[in-house]
C-alpha cells in the first residue's frame, strides 16, 4: 500500500486534494493529512484519514508526521517571506522519514517569472533538485478565485480596475489544480508524471482583463467594463479601499507580471492530467459566487 501525505490538508487547496484522492478510490487509511489544528480535520478523521499535527516551522513534528509516508504532496505555505525556510523544513523531514517522492505546488513559469511570489518557489524547486528524493514540480497558475472578491464591487461600480494592460491570464480553478495535484501524486508507478525532475506547467484557458470583465458581468448580471491604470494609480485605489500594504503590493506586482506575460502559458499539461478541459474563468467565478 502506497501511503500519501498532503500538507495543509485543511486549507482550501489541500482539502480539495484529499477529497479527490478519496473520490478516486484511494483508501482513507493510506492518506495522511498533515494539519496545524486537529480539530479542523475532524471530518477527515471521521472518514478514516490519518490526521497528524505538524507546523512547517516545527522540524521534529514534521519528521514524526511523515513517518511511514511514501509520497508527499507539499502544498506551498501561505506565509510569503517565510516559505523558503518552511519548505526546507518539510523537505529535510521527508528525507529523514524516507519519503520516496515529493510533488510541490509551485508557480506558473516560476523559473522565468518576474512576479514577486516567484523567488521563494524557485528556491524550493532548487532545494528539491538538490535533494536525493524524487521530485515533481506542479507549477500552478493564478487562481480564478482571486477575482471572486471583485464581483460585488465591480458590479456596483460597473468597473473592473487593474494594471495588467493587454496581458493574458491563463488562470485556473483552485479545484482543478488541486484535482490535478491529487491525480499526479496518486498516479501508478511508472507514470511519466511521476518521473523525477518532471515539471508540469498547469495553465488554463487564457483571458485578457477586458474578457475577464465580461465574465464578471455575465456572472453578476451587471454591466462591467475594464479600466486599465498605471501601477501607481492601482496601488492608490487599493490602498484607498482599505487593503493592507502587503496585499496591495502583491496585487499590483501580479498585474505588472500579467502585463509582461508571466501568467500566460499555452501548456496543455492541466487538461492532459485532468483528462478534460479545465474550467473557464466564468465557470470558476460562477461557482465561487454560489
Amino acid at each position: 500500500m502506497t501511503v500519501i501525505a498532503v500538507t495543509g490538508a485543511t486549507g482550501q487547496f489541500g482539502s480539495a486534494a484529499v477529497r479527490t484522492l478519496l473520490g478516486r478510490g484511494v483508501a482513507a487509511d493510506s492518506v495522511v493529512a498533515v494539519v496545524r489544528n486537529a480539530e479542523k480535520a475532524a471530518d477527515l478523521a471521521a472518514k478514516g484519514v490519518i490526521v497528524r499535527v505538524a507546523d512547517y516551522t516545527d522540524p521534529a513534528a514534521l519528521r514524526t508526521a511523515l513517518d511511514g509516508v511514501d509520497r508527499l504532496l507539499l502544498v506551498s505555505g501561505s506565509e510569503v517571506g517565510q516559505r523558503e525556510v518552511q519548505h526546507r523544513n518539510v523537505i529535510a523531514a521527508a528525507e529523514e522519514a524516507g519519503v520516496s517522492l515529493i510533488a510541490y505546488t509551485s508557480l506558473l513559469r516560476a523559473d522565468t517569472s518576474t512576479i514577486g511570489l516567484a523567488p521563494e518557489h524557485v528556491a524550493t524547486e532548487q532545494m528539491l533538485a538538490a535533494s536525493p528524493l524524487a521530485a515533481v514540480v506542479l507549477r500552478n497558475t493564478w487562481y480564478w478565485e482571486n477575482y471572486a472578491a471583485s464581483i460585488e464591487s465591480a458590479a456596483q461600480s460597473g468597473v473592473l480596475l487593474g494594471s495588467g494592460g493587454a496581458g493574458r491570464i491563463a488562470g485556473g480553478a483552485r479545484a482543478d489544480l488541486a484535482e490535478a495535484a491529487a491525480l499526479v501524486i496518486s498516479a501508478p508507478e511508472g507514470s511519466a508524471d511521476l518521473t523525477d525532475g518532471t515539471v508540469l506547467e498547469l495553465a488554463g484557458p487564457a483571458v485578457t482583463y477586458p474578457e475577464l470583465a465580461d465574465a464578471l458581468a455575465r456572472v453578476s448580471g451587471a454591466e462591467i467594463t475594464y479600466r486599465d491604470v498605471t501601477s501607481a494609480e492601482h496601488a492608490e485605489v487599493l490602498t484607498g479601499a482599505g487593503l493592507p500594504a502587503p496585499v496591495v503590493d502583491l496585487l499590483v506586482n501580479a498585474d505588472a507580471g500579467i502585463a509582461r506575460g508571466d501568467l500566460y502559458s499555452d501548456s496543455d499539461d492541466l487538461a492532459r492530467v485532468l483528462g478534460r478541459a479545465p474550467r473557464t474563468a466564468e465557470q470558476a467565478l460562477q461557482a465561487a459566487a454560489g
Side-chain angles (χ1 to χ4, degrees):
M1 179 177 70
T2 299
V3 178
I4 299 170
V6 179
T7 66
T10 55
Q12 290 178 300
F13 189 98
S15 60
V18 172
R19 286 195 300 271
T20 296
L21 290 173
L22 299 179
R24 293 280 177 161
V26 176
D29 62 357
S30 66
V31 176
V32 174
V34 181
V35 302
R36 289 188 294 183
N37 186 328
E39 291 181 4
K40 292 183 178 180
D43 60 329
L44 297 178
K47 294 174 182 175
V49 172
I50 301 166
V51 175
R52 295 177 181 168
V53 177
D55 189 283
Y56 287 171
T57 62
D58 189 338
L62 287 167
R63 169 63 183 82
T64 299
L66 298 180
D67 186 51
V69 168
D70 299 299
R71 299 179 186 176
L72 170 64
L73 174 57
L74 170 52
V75 179
S76 58
S78 59
E79 297 176 83
V80 177
Q82 304 298 316
R83 294 190 287 189
E84 184 175 345
V85 172
Q86 293 177 354
H87 297 165
R88 182 179 292 112
N89 289 339
V90 179
I91 294 167
E95 291 176 0
E96 292 175 17
V99 171
S100 61
L101 179 139
I102 296 178
Y104 169 67
T105 61
S106 186
L107 176 70
L108 188 71
R109 297 176 53 199
D111 57 337
T112 60
S113 179
T114 61
I115 291 177
L117 294 174
E120 288 181 305
H121 288 298
V122 171
T124 304
E125 290 187 16
Q126 291 171 343
M127 286 181 231
L128 290 170
S131 170
L133 304 183
V136 174
V137 175
L138 309 172
R139 287 183 174 163
N140 285 347
T141 188
W142 205 238
Y143 297 150
W144 290 132
E145 289 83 358
N146 290 341
Y147 299 102
S150 301
I151 296 174
E152 184 177 349
S153 60
Q156 290 177 348
S157 66
V159 173
L160 173 65
L161 184 140
S163 50
R168 299 176 72 193
I169 310 161
R174 183 186 284 107
D176 282 350
L177 294 162
E179 180 180 345
L183 291 173
V184 169
I185 200 67
S186 62
E189 288 289 345
S191 167
D193 288 336
L194 286 180
T195 302
D196 183 25
T198 294
V199 176
L200 301 178
E201 299 284 358
L202 300 174
V207 298
T208 61
Y209 263 128
E211 291 169 336
L212 182 62
D214 290 342
L216 288 170
R218 289 189 293 272
V219 169
S220 67
E223 266 192 45
I224 300 173
T225 57
Y226 176 63
R227 180 158 68 92
D228 196 61
V229 296
T230 66
S231 292
E233 290 169 330
H234 193 188
E236 184 178 350
V237 170
L238 294 175
T239 300
L243 272 66
V247 176
V248 171
D249 291 344
L250 186 152
L251 294 176
V252 173
N253 179 270
D255 268 18
I258 287 168
R260 292 188 290 267
D262 289 339
L263 289 177
Y264 173 74
S265 171
D266 62 1
S267 169
D268 67 350
D269 285 344
L270 181 57
R272 179 184 57 76
V273 171
L274 293 174
R276 59 171 173 80
R279 292 173 178 87
T280 64
E282 183 175 345
Q283 289 168 333
L285 290 168
Q286 186 68 63

